[in-house]
Amino acid sequence: EKVMCEICRKYICPSGCPNAKEPPIFAECEECGEPIYDGDEYYAIGEHKFCESCVNSAYRTAEVYYDAE
């Protein structure tokens, strides 16, 4: 017998409900080891998978510095 959630009033809790089940783990980030869940966005570089947070923290702008003469 299905029971309605007392918080969200649904039979299957949506992701925003505290009673919602965690989605299955798709992979682990190769930089930080955090899980990448089914439905998460991630970066694939070759066979390696990285979470969005790790890729964003590695973002840089190339700058060439010239000596002032």
Side-chain angles (χ1 to χ4, degrees), residues 2-64:
K2 290 186 177 184
V3 177
M4 183 183 291
C5 175
E6 293 181 13
I7 296 172
C8 69
R9 305 302 229 189
K10 306 232 185 250
Y11 289 102
I12 298 175
C13 299
S15 62
C17 178
N19 290 330
K21 294 180 182 177
E22 283 192 353
I25 295 174
F26 167 73
E28 288 186 357
C29 174
E30 294 196 35
E31 178 67 22
C32 69
E34 288 293 313
I36 299 170
Y37 294 102
D38 184 45
D40 284 353
E41 293 184 357
Y42 72 99
Y43 292 84
I45 302 172
E47 295 296 316
H48 305 282
K49 296 170 182 68
F50 299 94
C51 69
E52 190 171 16
S53 177
C54 285
V55 171
N56 288 341
S57 69
Y59 181 83
R60 305 286 185 275
T61 300
E63 296 181 57
V64 176

